[in-house]
Every structure is written in structure tokens, then in C-alpha cells.
């Protein structure tokens, strides 16, 4: 089940090896800003069917799409 988290929660999780952050912003939005989460994995949102199965199910996955 998907849930929303706060910025403070995400900050707490940034260095947790059990958390994977996936940046799914549209390419033009991602390229237009220098604001990127350190160590986040960049993936194409329209190709989620292709890459979603590669993520380890035992870890917490955070999708970022601001």
C-alpha cells in the first residue's frame, strides 16, 4: 500500500541502507533543476513496468515525483 511521507521522514531515511529512493520526475523536470536527492535512482516514469521488478522487495521504496 502506498503512503505519503513527510519531508522530515524522508530526511531521516536518506542514509538508511534499507531505503531506496527513486526519482520518477519527467525528464524535462529533472533536467531543469539542480535540486536532486543525493543517491536517488533516476528512472523513467513511463517505463515503470520495465524497471519496477528490479527493485528489491525487502527494502522500503520511496518514489519521488515533486
Amino acid at each position: 500500500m502506498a503512503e505519503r511521507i513527510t519531508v522530515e521522514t524522508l530526511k531521516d531515511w536518506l542514509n538508511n541502507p534499507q531505503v531506496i529512493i527513486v526519482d520518477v520526475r519527467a525528464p524535462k523536470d529533472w533536467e531543469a533543476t539542480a535540486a536532486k536527492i543525493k543517491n536517488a535512482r533516476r528512472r523513467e516514469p513511463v517505463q515503470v513496468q520495465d524497471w519496477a521488478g528490479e527493485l528489491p522487495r525487502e527494502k522500503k521504496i520511496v518514489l519521488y515525483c515533486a
Side-chain angles (χ1 to χ4, degrees), residues 23-27 42-51:
D23 189 327
V24 294
R25 290 180 285 176
R42 168 74 180 96
R43 296 292 186 263
E44 288 291 331
V46 296
Q47 297 172 340
V48 68
Q49 297 278 343
D50 297 332
W51 54 261

PDB file of all heavy atoms in Angstrom, residues 23-27 42-51:
ATOM      1  N   ASP A  23      13.754   8.578  -8.162  1.00  0.00           N
ATOM      2  CA  ASP A  23      13.283   9.849  -8.708  1.00  0.00           C
ATOM      3  C   ASP A  23      12.575   9.561 -10.026  1.00  0.00           C
ATOM      4  O   ASP A  23      13.198   9.119 -10.985  1.00  0.00           O
ATOM      5  CB  ASP A  23      14.475  10.778  -8.929  1.00  0.00           C
ATOM      6  CG  ASP A  23      14.085  12.187  -9.282  1.00  0.00           C
ATOM      7  OD1 ASP A  23      13.042  12.372  -9.946  1.00  0.00           O
ATOM      8  OD2 ASP A  23      14.838  13.113  -8.930  1.00  0.00           O
ATOM      9  N   VAL A  24      11.276   9.766 -10.054  1.00  0.00           N
ATOM     10  CA  VAL A  24      10.476   9.462 -11.250  1.00  0.00           C
ATOM     11  C   VAL A  24       9.900  10.726 -11.894  1.00  0.00           C
ATOM     12  O   VAL A  24       8.880  10.671 -12.567  1.00  0.00           O
ATOM     13  CB  VAL A  24       9.350   8.449 -10.940  1.00  0.00           C
ATOM     14  CG1 VAL A  24       9.915   7.099 -10.580  1.00  0.00           C
ATOM     15  CG2 VAL A  24       8.436   8.961  -9.835  1.00  0.00           C
ATOM     16  N   ARG A  25      10.598  11.832 -11.721  1.00  0.00           N
ATOM     17  CA  ARG A  25      10.141  13.052 -12.379  1.00  0.00           C
ATOM     18  C   ARG A  25      10.313  12.915 -13.889  1.00  0.00           C
ATOM     19  O   ARG A  25      11.202  12.200 -14.369  1.00  0.00           O
ATOM     20  CB  ARG A  25      10.934  14.258 -11.886  1.00  0.00           C
ATOM     21  CG  ARG A  25      10.603  14.626 -10.457  1.00  0.00           C
ATOM     22  CD  ARG A  25      11.393  15.806 -10.009  1.00  0.00           C
ATOM     23  NE  ARG A  25      12.779  15.396  -9.755  1.00  0.00           N
ATOM     24  CZ  ARG A  25      13.745  16.244  -9.415  1.00  0.00           C
ATOM     25  NH1 ARG A  25      13.496  17.532  -9.306  1.00  0.00           N
ATOM     26  NH2 ARG A  25      14.962  15.804  -9.182  1.00  0.00           N
ATOM     27  N   ALA A  26       9.475  13.622 -14.618  1.00  0.00           N
ATOM     28  CA  ALA A  26       9.594  13.644 -16.076  1.00  0.00           C
ATOM     29  C   ALA A  26      10.977  14.172 -16.445  1.00  0.00           C
ATOM     30  O   ALA A  26      11.528  15.021 -15.735  1.00  0.00           O
ATOM     31  CB  ALA A  26       8.514  14.534 -16.670  1.00  0.00           C
ATOM     32  N   PRO A  27      11.559  13.663 -17.530  1.00  0.00           N
ATOM     33  CA  PRO A  27      12.915  14.068 -17.897  1.00  0.00           C
ATOM     34  C   PRO A  27      13.119  15.585 -17.957  1.00  0.00           C
ATOM     35  O   PRO A  27      14.114  16.090 -17.440  1.00  0.00           O
ATOM     36  CB  PRO A  27      13.111  13.439 -19.275  1.00  0.00           C
ATOM     37  CG  PRO A  27      12.208  12.262 -19.271  1.00  0.00           C
ATOM     38  CD  PRO A  27      11.014  12.670 -18.450  1.00  0.00           C
ATOM     39  N   ARG A  42      17.476   7.521 -10.658  1.00  0.00           N
ATOM     40  CA  ARG A  42      16.615   8.186 -11.639  1.00  0.00           C
ATOM     41  C   ARG A  42      16.042   7.141 -12.580  1.00  0.00           C
ATOM     42  O   ARG A  42      16.777   6.346 -13.172  1.00  0.00           O
ATOM     43  CB  ARG A  42      17.435   9.224 -12.412  1.00  0.00           C
ATOM     44  CG  ARG A  42      16.780   9.783 -13.638  1.00  0.00           C
ATOM     45  CD  ARG A  42      15.660  10.758 -13.298  1.00  0.00           C
ATOM     46  NE  ARG A  42      15.081  11.265 -14.512  1.00  0.00           N
ATOM     47  CZ  ARG A  42      13.988  10.767 -15.095  1.00  0.00           C
ATOM     48  NH1 ARG A  42      13.345   9.765 -14.549  1.00  0.00           N
ATOM     49  NH2 ARG A  42      13.525  11.272 -16.205  1.00  0.00           N
ATOM     50  N   ARG A  43      14.719   7.104 -12.714  1.00  0.00           N
ATOM     51  CA  ARG A  43      14.056   6.159 -13.609  1.00  0.00           C
ATOM     52  C   ARG A  43      12.958   6.881 -14.373  1.00  0.00           C
ATOM     53  O   ARG A  43      12.341   7.821 -13.881  1.00  0.00           O
ATOM     54  CB  ARG A  43      13.418   5.000 -12.827  1.00  0.00           C
ATOM     55  CG  ARG A  43      14.407   4.124 -12.086  1.00  0.00           C
ATOM     56  CD  ARG A  43      15.284   3.337 -13.044  1.00  0.00           C
ATOM     57  NE  ARG A  43      16.132   2.394 -12.367  1.00  0.00           N
ATOM     58  CZ  ARG A  43      17.391   2.620 -12.049  1.00  0.00           C
ATOM     59  NH1 ARG A  43      17.945   3.766 -12.337  1.00  0.00           N
ATOM     60  NH2 ARG A  43      18.103   1.701 -11.433  1.00  0.00           N
ATOM     61  N   GLU A  44      12.716   6.412 -15.588  1.00  0.00           N
ATOM     62  CA  GLU A  44      11.671   6.966 -16.437  1.00  0.00           C
ATOM     63  C   GLU A  44      10.304   6.535 -15.903  1.00  0.00           C
ATOM     64  O   GLU A  44      10.034   5.331 -15.787  1.00  0.00           O
ATOM     65  CB  GLU A  44      11.823   6.484 -17.876  1.00  0.00           C
ATOM     66  CG  GLU A  44      12.980   7.097 -18.610  1.00  0.00           C
ATOM     67  CD  GLU A  44      12.772   8.570 -18.891  1.00  0.00           C
ATOM     68  OE1 GLU A  44      11.616   9.008 -19.035  1.00  0.00           O
ATOM     69  OE2 GLU A  44      13.772   9.286 -18.958  1.00  0.00           O
ATOM     70  N   PRO A  45       9.429   7.487 -15.600  1.00  0.00           N
ATOM     71  CA  PRO A  45       8.122   7.119 -15.053  1.00  0.00           C
ATOM     72  C   PRO A  45       7.251   6.331 -16.032  1.00  0.00           C
ATOM     73  O   PRO A  45       6.482   5.473 -15.612  1.00  0.00           O
ATOM     74  CB  PRO A  45       7.490   8.467 -14.698  1.00  0.00           C
ATOM     75  CG  PRO A  45       8.230   9.471 -15.499  1.00  0.00           C
ATOM     76  CD  PRO A  45       9.608   8.926 -15.702  1.00  0.00           C
ATOM     77  N   VAL A  46       7.392   6.589 -17.315  1.00  0.00           N
ATOM     78  CA  VAL A  46       6.549   5.881 -18.290  1.00  0.00           C
ATOM     79  C   VAL A  46       7.014   4.447 -18.513  1.00  0.00           C
ATOM     80  O   VAL A  46       6.312   3.665 -19.155  1.00  0.00           O
ATOM     81  CB  VAL A  46       6.480   6.636 -19.643  1.00  0.00           C
ATOM     82  CG1 VAL A  46       5.802   7.981 -19.462  1.00  0.00           C
ATOM     83  CG2 VAL A  46       7.858   6.781 -20.254  1.00  0.00           C
ATOM     84  N   GLN A  47       8.173   4.093 -17.972  1.00  0.00           N
ATOM     85  CA  GLN A  47       8.705   2.740 -18.139  1.00  0.00           C
ATOM     86  C   GLN A  47       8.677   1.945 -16.837  1.00  0.00           C
ATOM     87  O   GLN A  47       9.410   0.980 -16.671  1.00  0.00           O
ATOM     88  CB  GLN A  47      10.129   2.807 -18.682  1.00  0.00           C
ATOM     89  CG  GLN A  47      10.213   3.421 -20.051  1.00  0.00           C
ATOM     90  CD  GLN A  47      11.646   3.646 -20.490  1.00  0.00           C
ATOM     91  OE1 GLN A  47      12.569   3.701 -19.692  1.00  0.00           O
ATOM     92  NE2 GLN A  47      11.838   3.769 -21.796  1.00  0.00           N
ATOM     93  N   VAL A  48       7.813   2.331 -15.920  1.00  0.00           N
ATOM     94  CA  VAL A  48       7.764   1.686 -14.616  1.00  0.00           C
ATOM     95  C   VAL A  48       7.576   0.172 -14.728  1.00  0.00           C
ATOM     96  O   VAL A  48       8.134  -0.594 -13.937  1.00  0.00           O
ATOM     97  CB  VAL A  48       6.682   2.332 -13.714  1.00  0.00           C
ATOM     98  CG1 VAL A  48       5.293   2.041 -14.223  1.00  0.00           C
ATOM     99  CG2 VAL A  48       6.837   1.867 -12.282  1.00  0.00           C
ATOM    100  N   GLN A  49       6.838  -0.284 -15.707  1.00  0.00           N
ATOM    101  CA  GLN A  49       6.637  -1.733 -15.896  1.00  0.00           C
ATOM    102  C   GLN A  49       7.966  -2.440 -16.161  1.00  0.00           C
ATOM    103  O   GLN A  49       8.137  -3.603 -15.796  1.00  0.00           O
ATOM    104  CB  GLN A  49       5.689  -1.979 -17.078  1.00  0.00           C
ATOM    105  CG  GLN A  49       4.304  -1.417 -16.885  1.00  0.00           C
ATOM    106  CD  GLN A  49       3.429  -2.328 -16.053  1.00  0.00           C
ATOM    107  OE1 GLN A  49       3.716  -3.499 -15.866  1.00  0.00           O
ATOM    108  NE2 GLN A  49       2.336  -1.787 -15.557  1.00  0.00           N
ATOM    109  N   ASP A  50       8.911  -1.744 -16.777  1.00  0.00           N
ATOM    110  CA  ASP A  50      10.200  -2.344 -17.124  1.00  0.00           C
ATOM    111  C   ASP A  50      11.160  -2.432 -15.940  1.00  0.00           C
ATOM    112  O   ASP A  50      11.893  -3.399 -15.803  1.00  0.00           O
ATOM    113  CB  ASP A  50      10.873  -1.547 -18.249  1.00  0.00           C
ATOM    114  CG  ASP A  50      10.069  -1.559 -19.534  1.00  0.00           C
ATOM    115  OD1 ASP A  50       9.316  -2.531 -19.773  1.00  0.00           O
ATOM    116  OD2 ASP A  50      10.194  -0.595 -20.310  1.00  0.00           O
ATOM    117  N   TRP A  51      11.181  -1.421 -15.079  1.00  0.00           N
ATOM    118  CA  TRP A  51      12.179  -1.391 -14.019  1.00  0.00           C
ATOM    119  C   TRP A  51      11.657  -1.732 -12.622  1.00  0.00           C
ATOM    120  O   TRP A  51      12.450  -2.017 -11.728  1.00  0.00           O
ATOM    121  CB  TRP A  51      12.907  -0.048 -13.981  1.00  0.00           C
ATOM    122  CG  TRP A  51      12.045   1.179 -13.894  1.00  0.00           C
ATOM    123  CD1 TRP A  51      11.681   1.992 -14.918  1.00  0.00           C
ATOM    124  CD2 TRP A  51      11.455   1.743 -12.713  1.00  0.00           C
ATOM    125  NE1 TRP A  51      10.906   3.019 -14.458  1.00  0.00           N
ATOM    126  CE2 TRP A  51      10.742   2.894 -13.104  1.00  0.00           C
ATOM    127  CE3 TRP A  51      11.444   1.386 -11.365  1.00  0.00           C
ATOM    128  CZ2 TRP A  51      10.048   3.688 -12.202  1.00  0.00           C
ATOM    129  CZ3 TRP A  51      10.741   2.174 -10.461  1.00  0.00           C
ATOM    130  CH2 TRP A  51      10.054   3.319 -10.887  1.00  0.00           C
TER     131      TRP A  51
END
